[in-house]
Amino acid sequence: MSHRQHFAAIAPQACDAEGVTTRIAPASPAGLAAQYERGDFFFATARRVLLAQGAVESVTSTDPEILADTVTGALASGAAPLAVGVLPFDTSPGTVTPGHLVLPRAVLHAGQGDRSLPREVLPRPVSVTAVPSPERHMAAVRDAVDALRARGMRKVVLARALDLDFDEPIRPERIVRNLASDNPRHYTYAAALPSTRTLVGATPELLLSREGSHVVSHPHAGSMPRFADPVADKASGDALLASKKDQIEHAAAAEAVVERLRPFCRKLTVPDGPELVSTPTIWHLRTTITGELIDFDITALHLAAALHPTPAICGTPTDAARALVTELEPYDRAYYAGAVGWVDADGDGEWAVAIRCAEVAESSMRLYAGGGIVEASDPRLELDETTTKFQTLLRAMGLPDLI
Ligand SMILES: C=C(O[C@@H]1C=C(C(=O)O)C=C[C@H]1O)C(=O)O
């Protein structure tokens, strides 16, 4: 039986009888972070902050093309100035996890500015479970390397999860506020999922932005840890730039983004090689790809759906890598390594890669972290890389020493 729905479910929301979105006067970035509540959509970038509340309509489909077309139609009717939401990791035929967008009841914007708020305190978990165990993850990396060779594949991205249980409710608001002040140059996000869970995270990686005819994507791939000692820190960044293994891993991601953008663009600008960038916890290789669109009817959401999943979070070739992820990871990624963002009635929008994140339930949460595996990958270093990647969330929760 196919789980694919060849339609999008459009649900008018009963609580919003008037079906009109209110735009509220510009607020301060810190003010919007302070206002965010579970159930809202929050998206903070280096340039602006968006807070969307309530829903006049929601659009849900397992087919990303149908989702994008349906959202475009709903926005054209003028019900709301923009739509916000998530795409799952698996958007292939047969996926069980739908993309989900809402046309919000209220949209609040803020421009650049200070967004630091008093540090929020979160509880300590009563139990921590690694899924799979660190040993099993290293074994999966070894299996992945064997499979890459046996199947003639270039790269696969393997992730692991961390399940935390608490003896009191978790307030995602607090995590979001800490993430937003820790990561002012990146994309801090919170999105209500079709389950009652909330996806929260702070990612450095832009899948796609569209502003008029101008499109930008910056795939990240290749990672090394940051260090408190400036000499060790610089050496780690330099080692990343010089690492052949990481350059190979990166090239797979950058080349795929260029290939997938090419049919949509009359001009594409691609630098000769990647640059070194950092988050507070990790160094990355990044390529910034810019283009000029041929057809203005292609929205940011259509483009994001066409690019996703990139080899930065899946692998190369895509279908074989996705199948290997399903074979080797003992859980369904759901929205981890999906995309999160917004699209407006002009087709403009921003979609970030949904990594460095957690799915937050009532009193439990699951954190995810993955890394690209190529033939030269070392299982121990890959395990350490995922440990470093968990730090974005763990620091925001005041738990830097948890694992
Ligand atoms: C998959 C993740 O990160 C991705 C994998 C990277 C890598 O393998 O070097 C780098 C950046 C991200 O595209 C993650 O953080 O979970």
Side-chain angles (χ1 to χ4, degrees):
M1 194 190 85
S2 165
H3 293 283
R4 193 161 182 84
Q5 297 168 301
H6 288 287
F7 58 86
I10 309 183
Q13 306 293 307
C15 55
D16 298 294
E18 289 163 31
V20 178
T21 298
T22 329
R23 281 168 186 272
I24 297 174
S28 77
L32 289 193
Q35 247 176 285
Y36 163 80
E37 283 179 19
R38 190 194 267 264
D40 296 344
F41 178 90
F42 181 82
F43 195 80
T45 77
R47 289 165 59 198
R48 57 190 158 225
V49 181
L50 165 67
L51 178 64
Q53 300 167 321
V56 287
E57 215 166 284
S58 69
V59 183
T60 304
S61 177
T62 47
D63 184 321
E65 277 293 312
I66 293 175
L67 185 79
D69 289 346
T70 311
V71 167
T72 304
L75 288 171
S77 73
L82 51 74
V84 298
V86 286
L87 295 179
F89 166 67
D90 186 359
T91 48
S92 68
T95 181
V96 290
T97 313
H100 179 72
L101 276 87
V102 300
L103 278 68
R105 184 173 39 76
V107 180
L108 295 84
H109 290 282
Q112 265 171 335
D114 183 19
R115 51 169 102 140
S116 47
L117 290 163
R119 198 77 187 159
E120 297 274 5
V121 179
L122 283 118
R124 267 195 95 78
V126 289
S127 79
V128 180
T129 314
V131 186
S133 67
E135 293 70 28
R136 270 297 324 151
H137 183 71
M138 288 193 284
V141 172
R142 278 189 288 274
D143 291 347
V145 168
D146 291 345
L148 292 178
R149 284 202 191 103
R151 301 177 195 182
M153 296 165 59
R154 197 164 160 195
K155 172 176 175 178
V156 66
V157 179
L158 271 195
R160 65 189 187 104
L162 214 52
D163 283 346
L164 311 188
D165 286 305
F166 298 82
D167 59 7
E168 59 182 282
I170 308 169
R171 305 271 309 276
E173 298 88 336
R174 297 189 173 175
I175 306 173
V176 168
R177 295 197 249 287
N178 289 347
L179 282 172
S181 49
D182 289 351
N183 300 277
R185 292 183 292 117
H186 300 124
Y187 303 86
T188 296
Y189 57 91
L193 298 174
S195 58
T196 54
R197 293 171 182 230
T198 305
L199 186 73
V200 297
T203 173
E205 188 163 357
L206 177 69
L207 176 63
L208 189 279
S209 73
R210 194 203 112 163
E211 201 173 340
S213 64
H214 191 62
V215 295
V216 182
S217 176
H218 34 76
H220 287 55
S223 309
M224 291 273 185
R226 301 285 313 269
F227 292 95
D229 168 39
V231 176
D233 194 37
K234 182 174 180 308
S236 186
D238 290 345
L240 178 58
L241 254 188
S243 156
K244 193 147 180 271
K245 173 229 157 216
D246 287 279
Q247 292 280 350
I248 291 171
E249 221 182 293
H250 185 85
E255 284 166 22
V257 169
V258 171
E259 265 167 43
R260 288 179 205 171
L261 270 181
R262 199 181 295 289
F264 299 104
C265 294
R266 58 182 169 76
K267 190 176 149 211
L268 267 183
T269 307
V270 187
D272 286 342
E275 58 184 332
L276 186 65
V277 294
S278 64
T279 78
T281 58
I282 197 159
W283 292 104
H284 284 309
L285 297 179
R286 171 178 90 174
T287 298
T288 299
I289 298 157
T290 56
E292 294 298 325
L293 278 183
I294 298 167
D295 176 359
F296 272 51
D297 287 342
I298 305 293
T299 70
L301 179 56
H302 285 96
L303 289 164
L307 288 183
H308 177 73
T310 73
I313 43 78
C314 182
T316 320
T318 303
D319 289 341
R322 197 196 281 109
L324 191 52
V325 165
T326 309
E327 271 172 52
L328 294 176
E329 290 182 4
Y331 50 77
D332 183 337
R333 287 187 177 186
Y335 295 92
Y336 159 67
V340 57
W342 59 273
V343 59
D344 72 12
D346 295 330
D348 289 340
E350 288 173 298
W351 289 84
V353 181
I355 49 175
R356 317 294 147 83
C357 61
E359 266 197 30
V360 182
E362 215 22 59
S363 59
S364 65
M365 62 194 282
R366 170 168 276 186
L367 281 61
Y368 294 94
I373 312 299
V374 292
E375 276 195 31
S377 291
D378 174 314
R380 178 76 227 181
L381 295 179
E382 294 301 335
L383 178 73
D384 292 349
E385 184 175 318
T386 53
T387 304
T388 302
K389 286 173 175 165
F390 282 129
Q391 280 299 319
T392 304
L393 256 285
L394 292 178
R395 283 192 188 184
M397 298 182 64
L399 302 167
D401 303 319
L402 192 71
I403 55 164

